[in-house]
């Protein structure tokens, strides 16, 4: 159980145009197999021979695992110290390249839009673009969507 | 490790307008905590007291956990017996209602669009809508996106 951290980031701390880069998450074979066996046991995520015959060429992480790893990097970088109220959803999610065991992932976060919530003045909406990069700086996952944060001083 | 199953579903088996309902996945407290501690340790996903103070009202599953559980139901229902080639991504993902320990989830899958892939005639694209429902038949997650399947006889 994590202790409640100090709130450092409010809605005002995500201005439009801000770019943050963070994270260095190693993708291990054990983690790829554990996630896939539980949630996405398609042959190319759990079986080396089947993966070699697939479009991936070798064992690749479930796209949902990549998204979950990105979420963990976001939590560690800013969400756990933020006045986050959750997210209503994403407007797009693109799996651009396979993620393989041995890769190291990072996140580039860009604030695309920010506005107060009409119905709840103490809450602000932030529309963000998250790009997950591998160690070659190639984007492997791109997402755009909304987060809700409490406003400073409310 | 799962054995390679017989291929039963090709692109042709997902005609536009087809609706399938399936799955009955119990959401356990242990699974909610295990996923959240690994991937999304925001207070409302890992701490009862913090969750009570949040918009969720009580401990709620990470939205990524809900998506991963939906993926597992899709695998068990048809993907593992299909000529699936993976997915390029989603056009939307909406977290509509919280998912709580004790809930039971199911999936309603609708084929929205289907067309051969211009660049690869042996592959077909299927645009699907996935609605994840709780035991009250309330949608908790809605996604729309694309899957690639080999065509029959190729």
């Amino acid at each position: 159980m994590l202790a409640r951290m100090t709130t450092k980031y409010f809605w005002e701390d995500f201005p439009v145009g801000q770019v943050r880069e963070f994270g260095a998450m190693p993708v291990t074979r054990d983690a790829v197999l554990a996630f896939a066996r539980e949630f996405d046991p398609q042959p190319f995520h759990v079986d080396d021979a089947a993966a070699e015959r697939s479009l991936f060429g070798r064992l690749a992480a479930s796209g949902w695992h990549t998204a979950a790893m990105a979420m963990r990097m976001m939590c560690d970088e800013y969400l756990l110290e933020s006045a986050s109220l959750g997210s209503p959803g994403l407007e797009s999610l693109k799996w651009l390249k396979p993620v393989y065991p041995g890769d190291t992932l990072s996140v580039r976060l860009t604030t695309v839009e920010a506005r107060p919530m009409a119905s709840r003045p103490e809450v602000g909406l932030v529309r963000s673009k998250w790009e997950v990069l591998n160690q070659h700086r190639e984007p492997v996952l791109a997402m755009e969507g909304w987060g809700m944060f409490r406003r400073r001083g409310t």
Side-chain angles (χ1 to χ4, degrees), chain A:
Chain A
M1 195 71 55
L2 298 182
R4 176 82 180 153
M5 295 185 181
T6 312
T7 301
K8 191 167 153 189
Y9 302 114
F10 292 85
W11 175 74
E12 288 78 1
D13 298 305
F14 302 94
V16 173
Q18 185 185 65
V19 179
R20 295 172 75 127
E21 292 207 29
F22 51 87
M25 184 167 285
V27 180
T28 69
R29 178 178 169 86
D30 284 353
V32 165
L33 289 171
F35 187 100
R37 284 172 183 155
E38 185 168 0
F39 295 115
D40 190 357
Q42 296 185 84
F44 36 71
H45 298 319
V46 295
D47 183 296
D48 290 301
E52 279 171 31
R53 293 190 302 268
S54 78
L55 294 179
F56 296 110
R58 56 195 170 96
L59 194 78
S62 167
W64 296 109
H65 188 195
T66 306
M69 289 187 281
M71 188 69 201
R72 180 57 195 250
M73 288 186 272
M74 290 183 244
C75 283
D76 291 345
E77 173 69 12
Y78 66 98
L79 275 178
L80 297 188
E81 297 176 281
S82 78
S84 171
L85 300 168
S87 167
L90 301 175
E91 295 188 349
S92 73
L93 182 160
K94 290 177 191 156
W95 290 296
L96 300 167
K97 277 185 176 283
V99 171
Y100 298 113
D103 284 355
T104 300
L105 302 181
S106 59
V107 175
R108 179 165 58 207
L109 165 70
T110 306
T111 302
V112 177
E113 192 180 336
R115 56 179 169 79
M117 199 166 178
S119 57
R120 303 190 56 202
E122 77 281 14
V123 178
L125 289 163
V126 176
R127 180 179 170 157
S128 304
K129 184 164 86 175
W130 298 272
E131 292 162 290
V132 182
L133 311 175
N134 65 18
Q135 66 279 12
H136 308 298
R137 313 255 330 137
E138 297 167 327
V140 296
L141 170 64
M143 302 188 277
E144 244 184 272
W146 295 91
M148 297 180 289
F149 296 89
R150 235 178 27 253
R151 298 185 65 178
R152 194 175 286 282
T154 60

